[in-house]
Amino acid sequence: MRPTPGLSMTTNAPDPGLKLILGSGSPRRLELLAQIGVTPTAIRPPDIDEDVRKGELPRDYVNRVAREKAEASVITDDEVVLCADTTVALGRRIMAKPADAEEAAAFLHALSGRRHKVITAVAVKRAGQIWQKDLQTTVAFKRMTDQDVYWYLATGDWQGKAGGYGIQGPASAFVTWLNGSFHAVMGLPLPETIGLLTAAGYPVRGDTQ
């Protein structure tokens, strides 16, 4: 696990009384947690500034945002919060959530016929301690025509998605190759998430031993 400077990386024993708070309003992350049998007690996405800082690299950016989400989340002693952030990177260029269809179209045209990185960072906080990890996946898109782009924009699926696309929806028709985690591209790498929750003492599989 990637250590966060200045924060403890102690692993806690499983605590069956812990409540999980999802610090994200993403329905995709909620669906992915359901796949591993995890249902958050509450959904409380924190309000933070997600603007990219000058000169910030994609991996640094996504890790900072995930960490700041966790830091901004107010939880009680019997709660653990799970936060995450995903971004699409074309070289050093960060493609966050497009502001409108025009920006989404620009993203898709830039990604057309090329490989790009999708980076997801996950941060889990309990009692002032933060456990964090990021995962990078390489995705290749076919060369898209204007008609491909117009069709996808018309679906509305680009809204609220890093890079202007969601791999689990209609945009899957553009993906020709992937090296890494499909779930991470969706927004939450499951094995890594289980590891972080387990380190924080949240019994993902009901294990209290």
Side-chain angles (χ1 to χ4, degrees):
M1 295 175 189
R2 190 184 190 202
T4 303
L7 296 175
S8 172
M9 294 299 292
T10 304
T11 297
N12 290 280
D15 182 348
L18 275 182
K19 300 174 183 177
L20 177 64
I21 307 302
L22 179 59
S24 170
S26 166
R28 293 168 297 282
R29 293 189 177 117
L30 191 61
E31 292 168 6
L32 287 168
L33 285 175
Q35 289 186 20
I36 56 174
V38 172
T39 302
T41 300
I43 299 173
R44 300 202 298 257
D47 183 17
I48 68 164
D49 181 3
E50 298 186 31
D51 290 344
V52 180
R53 294 175 181 172
K54 184 177 180 180
E56 197 166 30
L57 296 175
R59 187 181 181 191
D60 294 335
Y61 164 73
V62 77
N63 274 286
R64 175 181 62 81
V65 171
R67 184 181 67 251
E68 290 183 356
K69 286 179 180 179
E71 291 171 343
S73 296
V74 178
I75 56 174
T76 59
D77 290 342
D78 64 344
E79 293 178 336
V80 56
V81 65
L82 167 66
C83 299
D85 193 67
T86 300
T87 199
V88 170
L90 188 60
R92 295 168 62 97
R93 180 182 177 185
I94 297 172
M95 296 180 172
K97 298 172 185 176
D100 49 34
E102 183 178 356
E103 186 172 32
F107 284 172
L108 293 171
H109 282 299
L111 297 174
S112 176
R114 304 177 68 180
R115 293 184 181 184
H116 60 274
K117 306 288 186 183
V118 179
I119 310 167
T120 292
V122 183
V124 170
K125 182 175 80 168
R126 177 189 177 189
Q129 298 180 39
I130 294 181
W131 295 261
Q132 186 166 350
K133 187 174 180 64
D134 65 75
L135 197 67
Q136 180 173 278
T137 301
T138 303
V139 181
F141 268 15
K142 74 166 192 171
R143 187 168 298 281
M144 291 178 280
T145 64
D146 288 342
Q147 184 177 2
D148 289 329
V149 173
Y150 295 149
W151 165 77
Y152 182 65
L153 293 177
T155 69
D157 189 64
W158 57 272
Q159 298 180 58
K161 295 181 174 67
Y165 78 91
I167 195 169
Q168 73 280 8
S172 60
F174 304 146
V175 177
T176 59
W177 181 82
L178 180 148
N179 183 23
S181 167
F182 180 87
H183 292 143
V185 179
M186 281 184 66
L188 197 67
L190 296 182
E192 290 75 13
T193 297
I194 290 172
L196 293 173
L197 289 173
T198 300
Y202 183 80
V204 177
R205 300 183 179 90
D207 183 10
T208 59
Q209 300 302 314

